[in-house]
Amino acid sequence: MGLLSDMATSSEQRLIAARAVVSDVELRERCAVLPSLPRLRLSAAGFDLIAELKLRSPALGDLSAQTIDPVARLRGYAEAGAAICSILTEPSRFDGDLSHLRQAATALAPYGVPAMRKDFLIDPYQVLEARANGAGGVLLIVRMVERDCLVAMLDAAAEQGLFVLLEAFDAHDLEVAAELAAARRDRDEQVLMGLNCRDLQTLQIEFARFERLRE
């Protein structure tokens, strides 16, 4: 839990700073005047790709040399058929920023490909923040917050028309996600399920985890 704990602390600090500049009420008002989002389009063939823009990785270090022209890279992703482009906005370990999300949303708009805010979100405010900065969807990590908060973030995403990539790390996370899905079955929302196979202590990928938990 070391990485997630550190990211939760960093996210809380950013949340406090953001609220000091833009209140919850003002942020909601900004979102209210935005045009409705199109629904996420997924392939009838049953396979879609989420392509990612990442400037730094805790496991691999600085990746910025491979992303000298991020707009060109995003356009390349869209032209190659990516269904979603994932944009890191976490600054302390991933060199992300909300400005990257805005830039991505602008670059991807002509292709009809949504930008997804990938971050360690802990509050519905940050879901609205994503919407206000051009996102079409958000990543929500099951174990980052208590269940009531996770439900509130899912509600915020649904209200804004954002799709959600709900990320699990283990069998317990998947059980929580299944319970949430059952409770929300009749709601008009788009929620994808993801299984992260990275060990949070060693930062190594454990491909066997997907094999064990794929059912």
Side-chain angles (χ1 to χ4, degrees):
M1 283 291 289
L3 177 62
L4 290 188
S5 177
D6 290 348
M7 292 298 93
T9 300
S10 172
S11 188
E12 176 69 23
Q13 293 169 347
R14 286 186 286 137
L15 177 62
I16 293 169
R19 276 192 166 124
V21 177
V22 179
S23 70
D24 291 62
V25 171
E26 183 180 354
L27 183 58
R28 188 169 289 278
E29 289 174 347
R30 290 183 184 183
C31 291
V33 299
L34 295 173
S36 298
L37 287 169
R39 290 180 67 82
L40 175 64
R41 297 177 300 181
L42 298 177
S43 170
F47 181 87
D48 292 279
L49 186 70
I50 300 177
E52 188 156 274
L53 186 68
K54 180 186 290 186
L55 300 183
R56 176 175 291 277
S57 160
L60 300 177
D62 186 4
L63 304 175
S64 60
Q66 302 172 46
T67 316
I68 295 173
D69 188 344
V71 170
R73 178 173 286 267
L74 289 166
R75 288 172 177 163
Y77 287 158
E79 291 168 359
I84 300 165
C85 286
S86 171
I87 312 299
L88 269 294
T89 60
E90 198 290 318
S92 65
R93 299 285 289 272
F94 294 88
D95 290 355
D97 193 88
L98 281 170
S99 66
H100 301 164
L101 183 59
R102 294 192 297 272
Q103 185 180 39
T106 299
L108 293 169
Y111 301 93
V113 175
M116 180 183 76
R117 183 182 187 182
K118 184 172 182 181
D119 206 324
F120 299 85
L121 307 184
I122 60 169
D123 192 274
Y125 180 98
Q126 295 167 312
V127 175
L128 298 179
E129 194 177 45
R131 173 76 166 105
N133 283 276
V138 291
L139 173 77
L140 299 181
I141 301 173
V142 172
R143 63 172 61 180
M144 280 293 295
V145 296
E146 297 295 330
R147 188 177 307 205
D148 287 351
C149 184
L150 182 59
V151 168
M153 289 196 289
L154 286 165
D155 288 345
E159 290 165 4
Q160 294 298 323
L162 298 168
F163 69 84
V164 172
L165 175 56
L166 191 60
E167 183 172 272
F169 281 87
D170 59 17
H172 178 264
D173 290 350
L174 291 170
E175 290 173 5
V176 172
E179 291 170 6
L180 290 173
R184 305 174 73 87
R185 186 169 289 123
D186 297 330
R187 297 177 60 118
D188 182 24
E189 56 190 11
Q190 292 183 293
V191 181
L192 309 177
M193 189 67 226
L195 179 64
N196 193 324
C197 292
R198 187 178 298 280
D199 184 295
L200 293 177
Q201 301 303 321
T202 67
L203 300 182
Q204 299 302 306
I205 300 295
E206 297 179 347
F207 292 107
R209 185 184 304 177
F210 185 79
E211 185 176 0
R212 289 195 309 270
L213 299 175
R214 61 186 178 182
E215 296 303 329

